[in-house]
Amino acid sequence: MDDELNVTYISLNGYVEVNKYRYVYFFIMFTIYILIICSNSTIVYLIVIHRNLHEPMYIFIAAVLLNCLLYSTTIYPKLLIDVLSEKQIISYSACVFQYFVYYSVGCSEFLLLSAMAYDRYVSICKPLQYPTIMRKTTVSIFLLLSWMLPALHISIPVIVSAESKLCNFTLNGIFCNNSIYQLQCVRSRFITIYVVVALFDLGILPTLFIIFTYTKIFIISYRSCREVRKKAAETCLPHLMVLISIFCLCVYDVTIAQVESNFPKTVSLIMTLQIVLYHPLFNPLIYGLKMKEISKQLRRLLCSSKII
């Protein structure tokens, strides 16, 4: 606690021999962060500049990739500063804000994937009604709800956490996730119940909706002609792969907070790094290689850059 400024600081105790491997940490994290920015920004740029990609599905993909950029920018700059600093600390208010952005963005991805699933369902199962249903207004509403609902949900535990009394000032991690509850003297029963309800609303329900929707799509496409089956496979499988990735990330994040104290520090660090490493790189890789139109525009961009 800094009495002069009345600011509470939290020590981040998740690093292993940071003084010895300071520049190794920095090089690896900086390289990954640059790759995340370049890969996600490139796909978003292609979607923005090419009119044939101004369709609901690609707009939702752009929104997911923007989420990856925001998610990574919430985590990586602070990590880079920490590994170069003598002390790895963060103010409690900044920690709570990082928690808010981290979970708001993560939960909004489930809702964006749900919107994609609905878009694919209408496109494949009700193609004649698609232009009427998936209008610009509908897409805008889906985007707004996907970003606003998680922010409103997460704001409740954030407000309560900001006012909570702390008895521990050392966080066993390298960034602020749900481990911040271990800092509080008493964890509110209301917050415990609320977090479970929010997890159900923002994670489990959208996942069940997506599985149900894609099951219907695959049943209908299986009964249809080869062209419909090919369209379903090309557009739906990448979304399912991303869903599996974000769902595993969610389960992994919840699990780590519960069991990390039972693991050696090195194992906990490696496990935590999985959260911020794979998913932001996985999304642009899947959409860039598996989505036919995006892949075609990406190859054109790379070929033109080689000629220049």
Side-chain angles (χ1 to χ4, degrees), residues 1-9 169:
M1 171 76 76
D2 188 332
D3 294 324
E4 185 179 351
L5 297 176
N6 196 28
V7 176
T8 302
Y9 287 98
F169 298 93

Side-chain angles (χ1 to χ4, degrees), residues 99-110:
Y99 167 94
F100 170 73
V101 177
Y102 175 74
Y103 285 108
S104 294
V105 171
C107 292
S108 72
E109 191 155 336
F110 281 102

